[in-house]
Amino acid sequence: MDHSAHHAGTEHDHAAHGAHHAPVDQAAHHGGPAGASWGTAAKATLHCLTGCAIGEILGMVIGTALLWGNVPTMVLAITLAFLFGYSFTLFAVLRVGLDLKSAIKVALAADTVSIAVMEFVDNAIIALSGAMDAHLSDGLFWSALLGGFGVAFLITTPVNKWMIGRGKGHAVVHAYH
């Protein structure tokens, strides 16, 4: 939006226009659901995928190396995926000066649905492929894990596009960029 008219020598009330800059109104201003570009959704999904992948791979490797059963290994992997996924957003909004409580709220709002969808898809592929019974040296373990990330990315990107278009998910983070 061209804000030059606002600053052409006339006074105006920033508080009255404050809601204009809120993520929900920004999404509506840019055309509502259609205003969320595929590129923006892909970047948001890649952001979540990076944290999820680090946590999940770490959890799978630790659980498999320690010869844990499938359930404890998956619980560890999913827990670490959420932890690392949230931490990327948390650190980014803390860097711009948000207090810890507000930063946690932003991270939870931005990433919960994206990480949950990603983890559901990825872990379903890993479980259904039999890769949970594979060893770290098996190609099945790594191909199912990495292939699951690819499928999860393809399924989660439209979810993120829909959410961003409605001012939800990663749209809440954009208010701090």
Side-chain angles (χ1 to χ4, degrees):
M1 172 175 218
D2 180 16
H3 292 279
S4 61
H6 289 296
H7 301 289
T10 61
E11 294 278 332
H12 78 283
D13 181 9
H14 284 280
H17 295 288
H20 166 76
H21 296 285
V24 174
D25 293 324
Q26 186 179 20
H29 169 72
H30 291 290
S37 73
W38 284 105
T40 299
K43 286 178 188 176
T45 306
L46 189 57
H47 171 88
C48 274
L49 180 64
T50 302
C52 286
I54 291 168
E56 184 145 345
I57 290 171
L58 186 59
M60 290 291 185
V61 168
I62 290 170
T64 302
L66 295 176
L67 303 175
W68 287 1
N70 291 349
V71 172
T73 298
M74 287 184 106
V75 168
L76 177 63
I78 292 167
T79 300
L80 291 176
F82 272 92
L83 181 69
F84 278 89
Y86 286 139
S87 69
F88 279 28
T89 298
L90 184 66
F91 292 136
V93 294
L94 284 171
R95 266 197 318 264
V96 297
L98 212 56
D99 64 277
L100 182 60
K101 184 178 178 181
S102 297
I104 290 170
K105 287 180 181 179
V106 168
L108 291 172
D111 295 331
T112 300
V113 172
S114 182
I115 295 171
V117 170
M118 205 168 296
E119 285 303 298
F120 177 79
V121 171
D122 184 51
N123 282 285
I125 289 170
I126 292 167
L128 294 173
S129 70
M132 288 301 299
D133 296 321
H135 296 282
L136 293 176
S137 60
D138 291 340
L140 175 61
F141 176 87
W142 293 103
S143 62
L145 187 61
L146 299 176
F149 290 142
V151 173
F153 178 84
L154 293 174
I155 291 173
T156 307
T157 299
V159 172
N160 281 331
K161 183 180 186 311
W162 180 81
M163 289 178 54
I164 292 166
R166 283 157 183 73
K168 309 270 186 223
H170 272 264
V172 300
V173 175
H174 293 291
Y176 301 99
H177 288 295

